[in-house]
Amino acid sequence: MGIRNIRKDDDEILRKRSKEVDIIDDKVRELIKDMMDTMHKFDGLGLAAPQIGILKRIIVIDLYDDGPCFALINPVLEKAKGKQIVGEGCLSFPTTFGQVERPEEVVVTGLDEYGKKTTIKATGLLAQALCHEIDHLNGIVFIDKILPGTLEIVTPEEKK
Ligand code: NI
């Protein structure tokens, strides 16, 4: 296990709705660990299970020095308030960047990797990351939301 292959670009799994997780067991925790490993390997701030080809409602987020690292199962966007225009990228679209509009403040509920109900109140970058990852679970990707005139394509050589 460990590092998983990231689904990219026009892979149709990225457009599908993921299913609720009914049973949170060691298999789910192992999947979360692999998602974390994969996110860290590619320096992502977040990853959703469909990005590694698994249509389950599981996300992981790590804001490194700017915030927490956690997994959330069956996340639900309960409240969204305000708006922020922010630069965004995605591990599934490694050469594409752009500005998108996201809520400035959100309340998200879900379960942690032991099935405990969790409520997250977030602003700024964490609110953005939560919305981006929850979108993935509904088959929505950020490239659909890029504001006109802000699309940037970076070729792999320019990137690093
Ligand atoms: Ni993404």
Side-chain angles (χ1 to χ4, degrees), residues 3-18:
I3 310 297
R4 307 279 190 107
N5 185 37
I6 295 182
R7 304 299 190 93
K8 294 194 179 105
D9 302 314
D10 54 4
D11 191 317
E12 62 188 36
I13 203 157
L14 295 173
R15 298 294 185 166
K16 292 192 170 149
R17 187 186 182 279
S18 294

Side-chain angles (χ1 to χ4, degrees), residues 45-65:
L45 300 183
L47 191 75
Q51 291 182 273
I52 56 166
I54 293 170
L55 289 171
K56 288 186 175 166
R57 301 186 81 80
I58 304 173
I59 63 174
V60 294
I61 286 177
D62 191 348
L63 300 188
Y64 304 95
D65 293 342

Side-chain angles (χ1 to χ4, degrees), residues 46-48 51 88-93 132-133 136 140-142:
L47 191 75
Q51 291 182 273
E88 205 159 296
C90 177
L91 294 178
S92 290
F93 302 90
H132 178 113
E133 300 312 330
H136 273 299
I140 297 166
V141 290
F142 93 107

